[in-house]
Amino acid sequence: MPSNFYLHFLIALVPMVIGAAYYHPKVVGSAWMRVNGFTEASLQEANMALIFGLAYLFSLMLSFFYTSLVIHQASITSLFVPEIIEAEDNPIKTEIMALLANYGDRHRNFGHGAVHGIFTAIFFALPIIAINALFDRRSRTYILIHFGYWLLTLILMGGLLCATLRFSWEA
């Protein structure tokens, strides 16, 4: 667990901020409305508190999960969870902490996280969006609109997580 885990709550705002800008009518909002058959009036009928509340909750879940994808060191420690939380004299904990002390800062920058964002968008988000769109009989435009949003969102989330989260071995 990061020592500054509270940043997950801030980084979970990234999808909301990107969404507000990206789905604005002057960006792709008009195309998004057209492709979904929405009108200004139909959008006003929605329970926005529920939508934004759940969207933030899901974004928070994504932020916590995404850490293990963009920060390799978090994955290494998960291999030895019972051992690394045991007593200080545990040899496995000593070895892992020495490894992290020497190499814990590798690939810990915005650019590395952003690259993970690109790959995650292409090889994870795009297939999920496209599969749903195919079965829902949605257009290529629908797929591209949502893929563009997730590409930007995952680049920023990955970059921010990778550059800002700090763990006990980095203290």
Side-chain angles (χ1 to χ4, degrees):
M1 174 68 91
S3 55
N4 57 350
F5 74 93
Y6 61 87
L7 287 174
H8 284 291
F9 293 91
L10 292 174
I11 292 170
L13 292 171
V14 168
M16 315 291 275
V17 172
I18 296 297
Y22 186 80
Y23 289 103
H24 188 276
K26 291 185 178 178
V27 183
V28 298
S30 295
W32 171 75
M33 287 174 56
R34 192 170 38 260
V35 110
N36 284 297
F38 293 146
T39 64
E40 289 288 338
S42 69
L43 291 177
Q44 300 302 321
E45 297 169 3
N47 182 345
M48 296 311 287
L50 179 65
I51 291 170
F52 282 113
L54 288 174
Y56 180 74
L57 175 66
F58 295 138
S59 297
L60 185 60
M61 292 166 56
L62 178 61
S63 178
F64 276 103
F65 171 76
Y66 206 34
T67 299
S68 64
L69 293 178
V70 300
I71 301 177
H72 304 292
Q73 295 84 346
S75 299
I76 290 171
T77 59
S78 71
L79 289 172
F80 304 99
V81 164
E83 292 90 353
I84 64 170
I85 57 177
E86 291 176 1
E88 289 297 322
D89 60 346
N90 183 315
I92 293 175
K93 182 176 184 174
T94 304
E95 287 181 43
I96 294 299
M97 290 302 137
L99 175 77
L100 292 172
N102 290 327
Y103 305 105
D105 61 346
R106 283 196 162 182
H107 310 297
R108 295 297 306 282
N109 56 59
F110 186 90
H112 184 81
V115 168
H116 276 282
I118 292 167
F119 288 132
T120 304
I122 294 170
F123 295 107
F124 191 75
L126 178 60
I128 290 171
I129 294 165
I131 289 168
N132 284 343
L134 290 169
F135 282 102
D136 288 346
R137 311 304 195 271
R138 300 296 189 134
S139 68
R140 182 178 339 146
T141 304
Y142 175 92
I143 295 169
L144 292 174
I145 287 170
H146 291 297
F147 171 67
Y149 164 76
W150 282 111
L151 178 64
L152 293 172
T153 299
L154 292 170
I155 286 171
L156 283 174
M157 286 183 81
L160 289 170
L161 286 167
C162 203
T164 62
L165 288 183
R166 294 292 168 250
F167 294 83
S168 60
W169 67 80
E170 298 173 302

